[in-house]
Amino acid sequence: MPRYLGLVAALVALVAIVFTVKLYFGASGPPASRLAGGGGPAMLAGAPAQSYPVKTLDGATAGLDRYRGSVVLVNLWASWCAPCRSETPALERLYRDERGKGFTVLGIDQGESTEAAGAFAKQMNLSYPILVDEDQRYGRAYAAIGLPTSLVVDRTGHIVRGIDGELTLAQMHEAVDPLLRARE
Amino acid sequence: MTFDMTTNRAVALASAVGGMLLVFAQDVYPAWSGFHAWQYTAALTLAAIAVVGYALGARKGTDGDVGTRIVIAAIGATVVIVAGIASGLLGPDTETVARTPGTVAPLPDVGAAGFFPVADPATIERGDAHVEIRRRDGSSVDIPPGARRFVGTTAIETTPEVAAYVEARQPNGSRLTITQPQNTSFLSPVLLFPERVPIGGVVFPADGFATPAIQRQIKAFYFSKAEVAKSTHGTPGKEAVLLAVDDENGKLIQSGIGIVPSGADATIGGIRFRVAAGTYPALLISAVPYPPALWIGGLLFVGGLAYAYSYARPVAA
């Protein structure tokens, strides 16, 4: 057998073996911070914000993507949720104060009927847009581990922060003001 | 060439073929736990020792011209066998990853993420949801129900697992939020029945959820078509879910137990339920030998054998 044939075969074999073994030590997944499931909404920072078409209070269809280009404070809520009811006045105040700066609050009701969501919005005198997500798709996609859940979405449609639980007006400002100032 | 070397060559070739078959079996039955057992590694190691031991001697001409040429085939077999040992020893044990529709599961052993698609009631009933695997480089692999795909050093297949999409309404028709406080996906109306509970000698898939708007906790038990056929409840030919409605203290409420056939409505404990029962895919992830190593090793083995026996000089009389 020509000597070079054996050498070439041995070299190819060595490379294949080293590469194969190295693969088992080199496997690594996408950063966990970009994936939903088990970690709560805070783990979503940096991920693209999912958008699903759902009902609006007036019976039309819309999703989060309608607000691309604005800073959006997405708030997942339900009418039976006491902390959601408690934080609603602060959300309304924030919306009224900042809506002229390319900002909106987007309330997304989880799992209830349009009537229930509409009655709540009317009772609380809400003027910010409300979506009704009967199938709770946003809640799953945004890794909600309770209600309310809030997410700050930047103008490019990426999640900047995911927050579990009730927020005060000061905490809301702390979350969205840097993004609003970035435009000025 | 002696009788002993002919025997050694036969043993080496048999070890090579046997070892390679054991390695290729990982691609055929990747989920078998035996591939990660010490006995499997020991068998492959013995095969590799037989092959390499023969090749070291044959390289020096102890088995004549055929033996010298057959070294290439021995190298190919060794590559395949080492790939099998690496997969068995270093590859992760077989793992099942189940997630609710509309969520993403990190798959660090694959270097990818599994995207479990949003599923409506009809999708659950048909059981035809596809899972998408997205890798870091942006490429993606679509896995239909029951199919298997090879991604790097893993085999990923989808297995249909029982699931049910639940809708709950108040008597006036107003829809109720479904929550699953014990589940990783809190706001999911899709039950995946991770528990197994024996009832009357039969083991049923079980799960639980809540309707916090009216402070109810509901236990759910999945009835397959076979179980429905045996019982006096449900609709023959359709799966069903038995629901037991508890109050906030965990006490079964009056008229709080009943069976909801898939696709039908039923009022249990004052709640109108609608259930779509069927399946939703889970991922079964198993380690497999690195495919290029199998290709390279296999080609070297076949090519080496052909080279050895095609060009071997006839033995002089």
Side-chain angles (χ1 to χ4, degrees):
Chain A
M1 180 178 69
R3 190 174 178 79
Y4 73 89
L5 261 184
L7 281 174
V8 169
L11 194 64
V12 168
L14 187 67
V15 169
I17 288 170
V18 168
F19 195 67
T20 299
V21 173
K22 183 178 177 293
L23 268 177
Y24 292 98
F25 292 107
S28 60
S33 62
R34 289 172 179 262
L35 302 172
M43 301 290 281
L44 294 173
Q50 300 293 315
S51 179
Y52 305 102
V54 294
K55 288 183 195 168
T56 63
L57 288 181
D58 57 10
T61 300
L64 171 63
D65 55 2
R66 170 184 282 193
Y67 302 95
R68 180 68 62 88
S70 296
V71 174
V72 186
L73 179 62
V74 176
N75 180 253
L76 307 182
W77 63 278
S79 65
W80 49 264
C81 159
C84 304
R85 181 177 292 270
S86 168
E87 84 173 346
T88 298
L91 286 167
E92 177 66 19
R93 173 79 186 276
L94 182 75
Y95 174 67
R96 288 175 189 264
D97 289 350
E98 307 291 355
R99 64 181 167 181
K101 301 174 184 172
F103 169 79
T104 189
V105 172
L106 180 64
I108 307 181
D109 178 276
Q110 291 298 291
E112 297 182 295
S113 303
T114 308
E115 295 73 24
F120 180 86
K122 189 174 179 183
Q123 182 190 14
M124 301 301 289
N125 200 24
L126 302 181
S127 60
Y128 58 79
I130 300 285
L131 302 179
V132 184
D133 179 15
E134 289 190 342
D135 293 325
Q136 304 173 194
R137 291 179 177 185
Y138 283 92
R140 277 175 279 161
Y142 293 161
I145 51 176
L147 289 177
T149 289
S150 297
L151 297 109
V152 181
V153 179
D154 68 15
R155 297 181 202 283
T156 65
H158 286 78
I159 296 169
V160 176
R161 283 184 67 180
I163 306 158
D164 174 53
E166 183 182 348
L167 295 173
T168 63
L169 183 59
Q171 288 170 323
M172 292 175 193
H173 272 294
E174 184 195 338
V176 303
D177 283 358
L179 293 176
L180 298 179
R181 279 200 301 270
R183 193 192 192 194
E184 293 166 354
Chain B
M1 188 171 61
T2 65
F3 173 79
D4 283 345
M5 282 314 294
T6 306
T7 306
N8 285 350
R9 189 199 304 165
V11 169
L13 284 177
S15 299
V17 171
M20 290 171 73
L21 286 177
L22 279 177
V23 174
F24 287 123
Q26 286 196 45
D27 278 350
V28 183
Y29 306 105
W32 187 51
S33 59
F35 295 130
H36 302 286
W38 69 266
Q39 292 92 336
Y40 179 77
T41 304
L44 288 184
T45 304
L46 287 175
I49 289 171
V51 172
V52 172
Y54 167 78
L56 288 176
R59 191 175 62 89
K60 295 172 184 166
T62 55
D63 193 20
D65 200 33
V66 172
T68 310
R69 292 172 189 274
I70 221 168
V71 168
I72 293 175
I75 289 171
T78 306
V79 170
V80 172
I81 292 171
V82 169
I85 292 173
S87 171
L89 270 183
L90 305 174
D93 289 342
T94 298
E95 174 191 22
T96 301
V97 178
R99 288 287 188 277
T100 48
T103 58
V104 182
L107 308 172
D109 292 329
V110 186
F115 284 71
F116 290 78
V118 168
D120 58 17
T123 306
I124 297 287
E125 279 193 317
R126 291 193 306 267
D128 60 359
H130 293 209
V131 180
E132 185 185 2
I133 305 298
R134 289 189 202 162
R135 293 196 272 195
R136 290 195 112 172
D137 61 6
S139 63
S140 65
V141 178
D142 179 73
I143 310 183
R148 181 189 299 164
R149 298 285 183 270
F150 293 95
V151 179
T153 56
T154 54
I156 307 177
E157 54 191 302
T158 54
T159 59
E161 301 287 339
V162 295
Y165 190 110
V166 179
E167 290 177 29
R169 294 178 187 275
Q170 300 203 59
N172 65 5
S174 184
R175 194 158 167 158
L176 293 164
T177 309
I178 303 282
T179 63
Q180 297 188 54
Q182 308 302 324
N183 192 317
T184 53
S185 189
F186 173 73
L187 281 169
S188 176
V190 178
L191 308 179
L192 297 180
F193 301 95
E195 295 173 35
R196 296 292 178 269
V197 175
I199 302 174
V202 179
V203 176
F204 290 93
D207 206 342
F209 61 97
T211 54
I214 54 172
Q215 295 92 42
R216 292 288 182 265
Q217 302 167 48
I218 298 105
K219 298 186 192 82
F221 302 90
Y222 190 97
F223 278 55
S224 64
K225 288 174 186 171
E227 293 305 329
V228 169
K230 285 185 212 164
S231 79
T232 54
H233 301 284
T235 305
K238 290 212 162 211
E239 295 89 347
V241 176
L242 183 148
L243 297 175
V245 181
D246 294 345
D247 63 18
E248 65 268 41
N249 299 315
K251 190 176 173 187
L252 186 69
I253 66 170
Q254 198 171 12
S255 307
I257 191 161
I259 286 186
V260 190
S262 183
D265 288 302
T267 299
I268 302 168
I271 304 175
R272 278 172 47 194
F273 290 103
R274 186 176 183 83
V275 166
T279 60
Y280 189 76
L283 292 178
L284 189 64
I285 301 173
S286 314
V288 291
Y290 184 49
L294 300 191
W295 278 107
I296 292 170
L299 287 174
L300 281 175
F301 182 73
V302 173
L305 279 186
Y307 173 67
Y309 285 103
S310 301
Y311 292 89
R313 291 184 197 126
V315 179

